Amino acid sequence: MIGDSLEKATLSSDSGTLVDQLLEIGIALSASQSLEELLHLILTKSRQITASDAGTIFLVQRQTEPAVLEFKVAQNDSVALPEQVQDSTIPLTPTSLVGYAALTGESLNIADVYALDGSEVYQFNRSFDELFQYRTCSVLVVPMQNVNGEVIGVLQLVNRKRSPETLLTPETAVSLTQPYSAWEEHIVRSLASQAAVIIERNQLLESIEQLFEGFVTASVQAIEVRDPTTAGHSERVAALTVRLAEITHATSRGIFREVSFSDRQLQEIRYAALLHDFGKVGVPETILNKQKKLFPEQLEVIRQRFALVRRTLEMETAQAKVNYLLSHPHSPHAGEQACSHCAFLRHLDEQLQQQLLTLEHYWQLLEQANEPQILDQEPLARLQELTQFYYRGVDGQMHPLITAAELEQLLVRRGNLTGEQRRLIEAHVTYTYHFLSRIPWTAHLKNVPIIAYGHHERLDGSGYPRGIGAAEIPLQTQMLAIADIYDALTAKDRPYKKSLPVDAALNILRQEAKEFKINPDLVALFEQQEVFRVLGHQH
C-alpha cells in the first residue's frame, strides 16, 4: 500500500543510509497512482530531507500559448494555507525564480531572497509574504527534468530550518533558518529528476485515459448520428449501470455482500455501457431509422399506386358509359320519365363509388397496419383481402394492389421490423464485440468487450446472439441488461413507441425477473434503491 511506503520512507537519523532512504522514496513514488498524490509526496519528502519549512511545485503547461507555469502543490508548516491555492498560473518568463529555473534548467540556491540586489534577471515576489505575514529567507529552486533533459516542472523549497520541528514567524525566520548546502542541492536535484520521470509516466497514463475517454465520446456520437432516434440512450444506460454497480458494491448484507468494484472496474463498466450499441455502425441506416413497418419511399410508391388505381377505375367507368351510349342511342326525355339507359349509367356511377369506397377503406387499413403497434386478429385478416385486389397497369397487365414483400412487412405482429430486418438489428451485438475486441484496451479495461457482448442475453438462455445462460453472463453485464431495458421502456425519444411511466417500466422489469430473464436480486435492488433517480425520474 502507498501508506506503508510513505511510512517506510520517513527520513530520520536511524532510518538507514541516505541511499536506502532515497530508494525507499523512489518505491513510494512509483506506488503513487494519482498525479496530485504524487506531487504531494514529492514535496513532502523533499522538505523532510532538507528540513524545509515550506515548498511549492509548479508544472510546465506547454499546451497553452504562450506556455505557463501551473501552481500545483503548496505546503507550509508555519502558515495555514487556504485550500484553493493550486491550479493558478504564472507566466513562463525568467523574471521569476521558478520561471528562470524552468527556462534555463539551472538550480537557484539563494541564502536570503530579501538580499537580492536587483542585478539578477530574476526577482523574488514578496506578495505571499505580505499576504500571509511570512518571511522567506533561504530558497532552493530545482528544475524537474526528464530523461531527455526537458524541464517538466519546478520544485521550490523555502526556509531550511535549523531544527525541523520549529515554527517560524517573521521575527524569528532569519535566526532560525540557514542556507541550503551544495550537498542538499545535489540530493534534491537527483530526487527531482527521479520524480520528473514518474510524473511524466503519470501524465502519459492520464493522456492515454483521456484518449480512451475521447474515443468513447466520439464513438457514442457516431452511433447517435447514425441512429438519432436513440440519442442519449448510451449515456443514460451508462449512468444507470454505474449507479447500480455502486449500490451493489456498497451493499453489506444479502447475496451481494461480497461483491465489490474498484474505481477502475467502475470505469470499465461505464465504458462497456457507453459502447454497448457501438456495433450499430455496421447496421444499415434505413433499418436503424425505420419508424414504421413500411419505409417512407415504399409508402409513397403504394400511395401513387392507389392514385393510379383510382384514376383507372374512373377512366374505366367513363369508357363504359361512352361505350354504352354509342351502342344504345336514345332520344332526350323529360326528367320524370323512367329511363333504363339512365338507370344503367347511374348503376355504373354507384359501382364506381363503391369501388372507390373499398379502395379508401383499404388505404385506411394500410395506414393503420403501418403503425408499429400490436395488431389484433381482425385487422390482420382484413389485410389479407388486399392480396385479392388486382388492377390493370399502364402496361395493360394485371398487378396486385399490394406486393407480397409489402404485405409481409404490414403483417408484422409486433413492432415494425420483419424477421430479416430484426436479425440485421440484432447483429449489432456481435458487431459491437468484434469492434471492441480489436481495441488495445489497457489491463484494467480488458473486459469492456465481453461486458458489452452480453447485454441482450437472458439468464434463461432465451437471449441473443449466443443464447447463453446465467452462469456465463457476468454480473456487470446483468446490470447493463437491466439498465438497457429500463431506458428502452422509459425513453421519450423513440418515434416508434410511446414512453412508459416509471411504475409501468418497473412492473415489466419485475415480470422479466419473475421469468428469470434478468437478475431478480438486481431488479429488487434497482427498485428499492431507486437507481432510476440518477436520470431524474421519480417513483
Side-chain angles (χ1 to χ4, degrees):
M1 297 296 289
I2 295 172
D4 296 335
S5 300
L6 291 175
E7 184 68 24
K8 292 178 182 177
T10 301
L11 298 179
S12 60
S13 58
D14 58 350
S15 62
T17 66
L18 180 60
V19 173
D20 291 335
Q21 294 166 358
L22 291 175
L23 288 174
E24 289 169 355
I25 291 174
I27 293 172
L29 293 177
S30 298
S32 182
Q33 295 295 322
S34 73
L35 180 60
E36 181 180 0
E37 180 182 346
L38 177 61
L39 295 176
H40 276 285
L41 182 57
I42 293 168
L43 187 55
T44 298
K45 292 299 141 188
S46 298
R47 289 177 56 231
Q48 285 181 356
I49 290 174
T50 58
S52 295
D53 185 58
T56 54
I57 290 181
F58 292 82
L59 294 184
V60 178
Q61 294 295 342
R62 293 186 171 85
Q63 291 80 5
T64 60
E65 184 62 41
V68 296
L69 284 168
E70 187 174 16
F71 185 31
K72 301 298 292 185
V73 178
Q75 296 175 0
N76 194 306
D77 288 341
S78 300
V79 172
L81 298 175
E83 292 183 4
Q84 300 299 327
V85 295
Q86 60 185 30
D87 293 336
S88 59
T89 61
I90 64 172
L92 182 56
T93 64
T95 57
S96 65
L97 302 184
V98 290
Y100 180 86
L103 289 171
T104 64
E106 300 175 4
S107 298
L108 292 177
N109 190 342
I110 305 171
D112 187 350
V113 291
Y114 279 46
L116 292 173
D117 59 14
S119 62
E120 299 86 356
V121 174
Y122 49 84
Q123 295 296 321
F124 176 69
N125 187 336
R126 301 189 184 189
S127 59
F128 177 87
D129 287 10
E130 294 169 355
L131 180 62
F132 291 96
Q133 297 298 302
Y134 192 67
R135 170 62 162 93
T136 301
C137 298
S138 54
V139 171
L140 178 60
V141 186
V142 177
M144 305 171 71
Q145 295 174 294
N146 62 18
V147 292
N148 297 320
E150 181 184 13
V151 177
I152 66 168
V154 178
L155 169 63
Q156 179 176 252
L157 299 175
V158 175
N159 284 343
R160 179 193 174 206
K161 295 185 287 190
R162 298 181 186 277
S163 175
E165 294 78 18
T166 303
L167 295 181
L168 304 179
T169 67
E171 295 75 24
T172 62
V174 175
S175 61
L176 297 179
T177 61
Q178 57 186 329
Y180 290 91
S181 67
W183 172 82
E184 286 173 315
E185 179 182 341
H186 175 73
I187 293 300
V188 172
R189 181 140 190 162
S190 174
L191 179 59
S193 296
Q194 181 184 15
V197 173
I198 299 173
I199 289 173
E200 196 168 47
R201 179 208 65 182
N202 277 43
Q203 290 176 328
L204 178 60
L205 290 175
E206 284 190 0
S207 68
I208 292 174
E209 292 190 358
Q210 289 172 358
L211 177 64
F212 273 126
E213 190 71 28
F215 162 75
V216 170
T217 300
S219 299
V220 171
Q221 290 175 349
I223 296 167
E224 293 183 348
V225 166
R226 298 194 77 247
D227 186 14
T229 60
T230 59
H233 171 68
S234 297
E235 289 87 348
R236 294 192 299 269
V237 169
L240 290 166
T241 307
V242 171
R243 183 62 186 140
L244 183 55
E246 290 172 341
I247 290 174
T248 305
H249 169 80
T251 301
S252 58
R253 62 181 65 181
I255 191 171
F256 298 123
R257 64 184 179 277
E258 296 182 1
V259 174
S260 64
F261 297 109
S262 65
D263 290 342
R264 295 289 193 180
Q265 288 173 312
L266 289 174
Q267 184 185 39
E268 184 179 59
I269 291 171
R270 175 173 170 267
Y271 281 173
L274 283 171
L275 295 170
H276 75 282
D277 278 341
F278 185 49
K280 286 184 177 179
V281 299
V283 178
E285 286 188 48
T286 53
I287 303 296
L288 284 177
N289 298 323
K290 191 181 183 188
Q291 299 182 11
K292 299 181 185 296
K293 294 180 182 178
L294 294 170
F295 295 108
E297 58 272 20
Q298 286 181 298
L299 186 62
E300 184 57 32
V301 168
I302 296 173
R303 190 192 309 276
Q304 295 299 326
R305 194 183 300 152
F306 268 71
L308 174 62
V309 172
R310 187 178 296 107
R311 181 58 57 88
T312 299
L313 290 172
E314 292 171 347
M315 291 180 62
E316 287 177 348
T317 299
Q319 186 64 50
K321 287 182 178 181
V322 171
N323 292 340
Y324 180 82
L325 292 173
L326 290 175
S327 60
H328 298 81
H330 64 286
S331 303
H333 57 82
E336 298 295 329
Q337 184 178 353
C339 174
S340 60
H341 301 297
C342 295
F344 183 76
L345 294 178
R346 283 196 299 273
H347 170 71
L348 291 178
D349 286 335
E350 291 170 358
Q351 188 179 54
L352 172 62
Q353 290 303 313
Q354 186 58 45
Q355 290 173 320
L356 293 179
L357 284 174
T358 299
L359 194 65
E360 180 62 25
H361 165 73
Y362 284 153
W363 177 253
Q364 293 176 359
L365 178 63
L366 186 146
E367 284 189 313
Q368 177 189 356
N370 192 36
E371 295 297 324
Q373 57 191 358
I374 299 176
L375 287 179
D376 296 329
Q377 289 299 324
E378 182 181 353
L380 287 173
R382 286 157 55 196
L383 276 173
Q384 298 287 354
E385 298 176 15
L386 290 174
T387 61
Q388 308 303 317
F389 196 106
Y390 279 75
Y391 70 97
R392 189 177 303 279
V394 293
D395 58 358
Q397 302 298 315
M398 300 302 293
H399 300 277
L401 185 61
I402 298 295
T403 67
E406 293 163 349
L407 184 64
E408 178 191 4
Q409 292 176 247
L410 291 170
L411 289 176
V412 169
R413 183 76 174 80
R414 183 173 186 172
N416 67 333
L417 299 176
T418 65
E420 179 59 29
Q421 291 167 353
R422 187 165 297 281
R423 281 189 287 275
L424 288 173
I425 284 285
E426 291 177 353
H428 83 273
V429 181
T430 302
Y431 295 154
T432 293
Y433 177 71
H434 290 320
F435 290 158
L436 297 183
S437 294
R438 296 180 66 86
I439 297 171
W441 300 99
T442 55
H444 72 278
L445 297 174
K446 64 181 180 180
N447 292 319
V448 166
I450 196 65
I451 293 173
Y453 195 13
H455 72 276
H456 279 297
E457 301 290 353
R458 297 296 177 256
L459 304 186
D460 63 354
S462 63
Y464 65 87
R466 293 171 292 163
I468 58 178
E472 299 173 85
I473 305 175
L475 185 62
Q476 299 95 314
T477 303
Q478 296 179 33
M479 296 175 181
L480 172 56
I482 292 171
D484 190 41
I485 294 172
Y486 175 84
D487 187 68
L489 293 171
T490 59
K492 294 179 172 58
D493 53 11
R494 308 292 174 93
Y496 48 82
K497 74 170 191 63
K498 294 181 179 179
S499 64
L500 297 180
V502 172
D503 288 341
L506 292 176
N507 284 335
I508 293 176
L509 286 179
R510 284 194 294 269
Q511 182 61 36
E512 293 282 289
K514 184 178 179 180
E515 296 174 4
F516 200 59
K517 294 185 181 299
I518 54 179
N519 191 309
D521 299 299
L522 285 177
V523 170
L525 201 61
F526 185 93
E527 181 174 6
Q528 292 165 6
Q529 299 296 321
E530 298 184 325
V531 171
F532 45 82
R533 285 183 177 272
V534 75
L535 302 182
H537 294 179
Q538 302 294 323
H539 202 326

